[in-house]
């Protein structure tokens, strides 16, 4: 991706509106992402700072990110040290991918002081460092000892900016650039700080390459997402390619849209990958169990044969010879039948053994039927969880893990506080009416059986796994009905289909199924609406915070 020093230089110009703003809140999202809420010019701005290896960036954001209920120690320390501080300055170190927030405020001793929040946006080397006014490190996201670059990233060490031997292109005039005698794209990258090979190659598409480079360096930003010659999507502060070019009003908006979906999916995958693997193993285990039980059921279906063989042997009590086989007339079929014998025993004992086998097999049939139903129920349950994980947020996934712990499938983390937290369901406001959407079993059970009133309306996709949607209204208007049905269809395993059938009825008509988990319900007096999902309508729905 083209998040180079030149791009960051343009981005800093956008972030200057945060100067004099006050840090009012510090949140985390995932293991490497932080969101600062800054109050500036009578308006709140959310600043996303991502230090992940694949999606490192900084920008203003309008998106909603999940925040854990138990933040990490660095988040708590940032809240202690910089919440309430004012942003005195925001600047880029030379033309490197380093952003420095110079913060001013009063410490716990009520002394006026400065602190620095330093964001190093360098791919897998990305880091977040908080220092005091003398650059003594108070805390750092990724602890490292003395690196190959001679820097120490540990608390109480003195922070050092990376040593830079290259020139800052923004500090050079056109003549100074031309005097460098640069003759290839690679030379631009080697001599000038923060210039990506993509920008260097673009400059050399014209004969006057250095003059062309100087012009694009100082042109106004025209944020764009485009398709490269390799067919991949990329972005820059101006279109490096005219193929499938899509422009944005700001660099922050571009980054917000470009990274949001991919970043969210990456975080969720990181948090849920072990859950998906565990659930898939459980499904596979139960499928193998069904296969084995089916084979045993087939064998058990011969129970009557064992009984008949026992009877036939009793009809020949005087058979003295101890043989491995005996041919006896079967008066049920009017044919001779060969019966296997155990030569260690006489005919009476062999008959008793067949009767015992008959009784054991007859008893096993009932057990096998129970186990088959149980295995099929397990597969159905885990398939529901698998479907829920496909559209789960981080907090949804945490609740699914908690559900597996409560059902004794997973072990609980030792010494983890058992604090009962309200499920993290979604609340929409449509026509001044609240609509609740549950995205996993814990949320569905809470909404349907605890939160909803008996006179509220309940929506669920027909004959498939999906969300319980509750409409808090006594009268169901057409708009409420279609919106709730669309939400139920969207958060279901049928969300890729068209004309999706959604059942709806009053909450009083919903009943739990005895002997089954709470995620399974039965309902009566339902009506059915067939709905197509319109993403634009869903994107414009107002979510209650």
């Amino acid at each position: 991706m083209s998040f180079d020093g030149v791009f960051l230089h343009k981005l800093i110009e956008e972030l200057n509106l945060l100067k004099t703003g006050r840090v009012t809140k510090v949140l985390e999202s995932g293991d490497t992402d932080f969101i600062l809420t800054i109050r500036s010019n009578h308006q709140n701005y959310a600043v996303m700072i991502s230090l992940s290896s694949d999606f490192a960036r900084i920008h203003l954001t309008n998106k909603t990110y999940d925040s854990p209920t138990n933040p990490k120690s660095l988040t708590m320390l940032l809240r202690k040290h910089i919440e309430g501080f004012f942003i005195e300055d925001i600047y880029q170190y030379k033309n490197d991918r380093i952003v420095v927030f110079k913060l001013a405020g009063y410490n716990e001793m009520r002394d006026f002081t400065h602190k620095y929040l330093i964001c190093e946006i360098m791919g897998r080397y990305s880091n977040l460092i908080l220092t005091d006014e003398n650059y003594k490190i108070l805390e750092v996201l990724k602890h490292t000892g003395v690196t190959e670059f001679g820097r120490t990233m540990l608390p109480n060490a003195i922070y050092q900016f990376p040593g830079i031997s290259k020139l800052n292109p923004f500090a050079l005039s056109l003549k100074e650039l031309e005097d460098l005698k640069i003759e290839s794209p690679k030379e631009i990258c080697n001599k000038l700080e923060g210039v990506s090979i993509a920008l260097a190659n673009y400059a050399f598409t014209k004969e006057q390459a250095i003059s062309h480079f100087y012009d694009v360096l100082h042109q106004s930003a025209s944020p764009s997402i485009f398709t490269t010659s390799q067919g991949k999507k990329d972005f820059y502060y101006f279109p490096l390619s005219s193929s499938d070019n899509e422009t944005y009003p700001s660099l922050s908006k571009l980054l917000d849209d470009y990274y949001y979906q991919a970043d969210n999916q990456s975080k969720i995958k990181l948090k849920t990958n072990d859950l998906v693997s565990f659930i898939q193993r459980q499904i596979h285990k139960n499928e193998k169990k069904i296969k084995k039980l089916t084979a045993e059921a087939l064998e058990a279906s011969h129970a009557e044969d064992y009984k008949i063989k026992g009877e036939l042997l009793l009809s020949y009590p005087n058979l003295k010879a101890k043989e491995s086989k005996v041919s006896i007339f079967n008066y049920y079929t009017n044919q001779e039948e060969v019966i296997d014998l155990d030569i260690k025993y006489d005919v009476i004992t062999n008959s008793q053994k067949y009767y015992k086998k008959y009784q054991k097999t007859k008893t096993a049939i009932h057990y096998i039927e129970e186990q088959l139903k149980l295995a099929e129920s397990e597969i159905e349950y885990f398939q529901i969880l698998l479907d829920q994980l496909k559209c789960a947020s981080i907090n949804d996934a945490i609740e699914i893990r908690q559900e597996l712990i409560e059902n004794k499938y997973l072990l609980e983390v030792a010494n983890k506080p058992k604090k009962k937290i309200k499920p993290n369901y979604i609340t929409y406001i449509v026509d001044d009416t609240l609509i609740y959407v549950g995205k996993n079993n814990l949320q569905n059970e809470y909404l349907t059986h605890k939160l909803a009133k008996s006179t509220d309306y309940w929506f669920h996709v027909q004959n498939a796994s999906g969300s319980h949607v509750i409409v808090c209204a006594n009268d169901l208007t057409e708009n409420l009905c279609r919106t709730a049905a669309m939400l139920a269809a969207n958060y279901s395993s049928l969300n890729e289909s068209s004309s999706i059938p959604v059942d709806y009825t009053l909450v009083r008509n919903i009943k739990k199924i005895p002997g089954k988990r709470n995620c399974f319900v039965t309902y009566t007096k339902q009506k059915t609406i067939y709905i197509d999902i319109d993403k634009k309508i869903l994107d414009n729905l107002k979510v209650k915070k």
Side-chain angles (χ1 to χ4, degrees):
M1 302 309 171
S2 300
F3 199 106
D4 59 7
V6 177
F7 183 94
L8 184 58
H9 180 92
K10 302 291 183 180
L11 183 61
I12 292 293
E13 294 175 3
E14 281 187 12
L15 297 180
N16 279 334
L17 59 82
L18 300 175
K19 285 183 181 179
T20 72
R22 180 172 173 265
V23 180
T24 59
K25 189 183 296 184
V26 178
L27 298 174
E28 69 177 70
S29 174
D31 295 330
T32 57
D33 293 359
F34 300 86
I35 299 170
L36 307 184
T37 301
I38 297 170
R39 182 74 176 175
S40 179
N41 300 317
H42 308 290
Q43 188 173 340
N44 288 330
Y45 296 92
V47 181
M48 160 60 75
I49 303 173
S50 176
L51 295 313
S52 70
S53 300
D54 298 321
F55 307 108
R57 66 199 187 279
I58 180 172
H59 58 85
L60 300 176
T61 180
N62 291 318
K63 306 290 187 185
T64 301
Y65 290 87
D66 283 331
S67 299
T69 51
N70 298 313
K72 64 171 74 72
S73 57
L74 176 57
T75 306
M76 299 303 292
L77 185 135
L78 288 173
R79 289 175 180 176
K80 174 185 174 182
H81 282 277
I82 68 173
E83 279 189 355
F85 273 56
F86 288 87
I87 298 176
E88 194 170 282
D89 196 9
I90 303 174
Y91 60 90
Q92 177 185 17
Y93 177 68
K94 297 187 176 179
N95 200 46
D96 205 352
R97 290 171 295 170
I98 300 175
V99 181
V100 181
F101 288 82
K102 184 179 181 182
L103 304 162
Y106 292 91
N107 61 21
E108 59 271 17
M109 303 298 292
R110 306 307 300 163
D111 295 326
F112 184 79
T113 186
H114 287 96
K115 289 175 185 174
Y116 295 95
L117 185 65
I118 304 168
C119 314
E120 297 187 351
I121 305 167
M122 301 176 176
R124 63 192 181 96
Y125 297 107
S126 298
N127 215 340
L128 184 68
I129 306 99
L130 178 68
T131 77
D132 64 12
E133 56 191 352
N134 297 314
Y135 290 100
K136 178 182 176 182
I137 297 175
L138 301 174
E139 188 52 280
V140 60
L141 176 64
K142 302 173 185 177
H143 289 206
T144 58
V146 180
T147 66
E148 56 185 302
F149 307 109
R151 300 198 302 155
T152 302
M153 292 295 180
L154 292 171
N156 297 319
I158 300 299
Y159 174 80
Q160 293 177 305
F161 286 99
I164 295 175
S165 57
K166 299 179 183 180
L167 299 171
N168 183 350
F170 288 99
L172 301 175
S173 65
L174 175 58
K175 185 176 184 310
E176 288 171 325
L177 280 171
E178 290 173 338
D179 290 343
L180 294 175
K181 305 296 183 185
I182 296 172
E183 297 180 356
S184 70
K186 191 173 181 181
E187 277 192 75
I188 292 184
C189 298
N190 290 339
K191 292 184 178 181
L192 301 178
E193 181 64 32
V195 180
S196 64
I197 191 64
L199 176 58
N201 285 332
Y202 180 82
F204 273 81
T205 58
K206 299 288 180 68
E207 289 185 8
Q208 300 295 325
I210 299 305
S211 176
H212 185 217
F213 172 74
Y214 182 84
D215 289 340
V216 298
L217 201 64
H218 294 280
Q219 74 180 29
S220 299
S222 177
S224 302
I225 292 178
F226 50 86
T227 303
T228 66
S229 56
Q230 291 79 33
K232 296 181 180 179
K233 289 287 185 182
D234 207 344
F235 65 85
Y236 209 50
Y237 71 91
F238 72 94
L240 291 174
S241 169
S242 58
S243 179
D244 294 331
N245 182 30
E246 183 179 1
T247 59
Y248 285 81
S250 68
L251 295 171
S252 286
K253 178 62 176 171
L254 180 152
L255 293 172
D256 215 13
D257 286 358
Y258 186 87
Y259 281 111
Y260 180 73
Q261 198 63 33
D263 191 13
N264 249 5
Q265 289 175 352
S266 175
K267 289 175 189 173
I268 292 165
K269 185 177 179 181
L270 190 67
K271 289 288 185 183
T272 64
N273 201 37
D274 60 329
L275 276 183
V276 171
S277 299
F278 173 78
I279 290 170
Q280 288 174 335
R281 285 198 304 272
Q282 294 300 310
I283 292 173
H284 181 63
K285 182 179 80 173
N286 280 285
E287 286 174 342
K288 284 178 66 178
K289 185 178 179 181
I290 287 176
K291 191 175 179 181
K292 183 180 178 183
L293 287 169
T294 303
E296 290 177 359
L298 183 63
E299 184 182 348
S301 65
H302 300 300
E304 288 298 321
D305 293 344
Y306 300 139
K307 181 183 177 182
I308 291 170
K309 287 178 180 179
E311 285 182 8
L312 294 176
L313 287 173
L314 283 177
S315 67
Y316 287 85
N318 297 322
L319 192 64
K320 301 296 183 182
K322 291 185 177 181
E323 299 178 6
S324 60
K325 295 179 186 294
V326 63
S327 181
I328 299 177
F329 179 75
N330 187 335
Y331 42 77
Y332 289 105
T333 62
N334 293 322
Q335 292 179 347
E336 288 287 322
E337 182 167 347
V338 177
I339 301 175
D340 293 325
L341 300 175
D342 190 334
I343 59 173
K344 293 185 292 184
Y345 305 105
D346 58 24
V347 68
I348 301 298
T349 307
N350 271 288
S351 173
Q352 290 171 347
K353 287 176 71 68
Y354 272 111
Y355 271 115
K356 284 181 181 178
K357 200 169 185 180
Y358 161 69
Q359 292 294 342
K360 186 177 179 181
T361 306
K362 190 177 177 182
T363 305
I365 291 173
H366 178 68
Y367 171 78
I368 289 169
E369 288 174 350
E370 283 186 344
Q371 290 299 308
L372 275 170
K373 287 180 182 177
L374 179 62
E376 288 166 356
S377 175
E378 290 284 277
I379 289 174
E380 184 182 10
Y381 170 66
F382 283 113
Q383 190 59 55
I384 287 173
L385 294 184
L386 207 56
D387 291 336
Q388 289 171 350
L389 281 172
K390 289 176 184 177
C391 60
S393 66
I394 294 174
N395 286 335
D396 295 333
I398 291 170
E399 288 178 354
I400 291 173
R401 183 186 294 277
Q402 186 58 38
E403 179 183 344
L404 289 170
I405 290 171
E406 290 175 1
N407 288 328
K408 310 297 183 185
Y409 290 108
L410 292 175
L411 294 175
E412 190 159 12
V413 179
N415 301 323
K416 191 173 180 180
K418 295 182 179 179
K419 186 180 178 182
K420 209 64 173 169
I421 300 171
K422 188 173 74 172
N424 196 45
Y425 55 86
I426 309 174
T427 303
Y428 292 97
I429 302 175
V430 179
D431 297 341
D432 296 325
T433 300
L434 296 179
I435 298 180
Y436 302 124
V437 179
K439 293 174 65 183
N440 58 45
N441 294 336
L442 289 179
Q443 294 175 20
N444 288 340
E445 182 190 2
Y446 178 80
L447 291 178
T448 302
H449 302 299
K450 295 180 181 177
L451 183 64
K453 298 177 183 177
S454 62
T455 53
D456 292 340
Y457 282 88
W458 179 90
F459 286 72
H460 193 281
V461 69
Q462 190 181 88
N463 298 327
S465 61
S467 294
H468 291 203
V469 176
I470 304 295
V471 179
C472 301
N474 294 325
D475 296 317
L476 201 59
T477 65
E478 182 181 354
N479 185 45
L480 284 173
C481 184
R482 293 186 63 81
T483 303
M486 200 179 296
L487 287 168
N490 185 62
Y491 293 106
S492 77
S493 57
L494 302 180
N495 58 9
E496 298 295 329
S497 306
S498 59
S499 193
I500 303 166
V502 176
D503 290 340
Y504 64 98
T505 185
L506 290 171
V507 170
R508 67 162 68 100
N509 300 324
I510 312 298
K511 306 294 180 187
K512 294 182 181 180
I513 301 176
K516 297 199 78 171
R517 291 185 177 87
N518 289 336
C519 59
F520 297 102
V521 296
T522 183
Y523 50 91
T524 57
K525 301 179 182 178
Q526 72 272 18
K527 295 180 181 178
T528 303
I529 180 173
Y530 292 82
I531 198 82
D532 289 323
I533 298 171
D534 189 331
K535 293 291 185 183
K536 290 182 179 178
I537 291 177
L538 295 181
D539 290 342
N540 291 328
L541 288 181
K542 186 178 180 182
V543 180
K544 183 181 178 183
K545 302 296 184 182

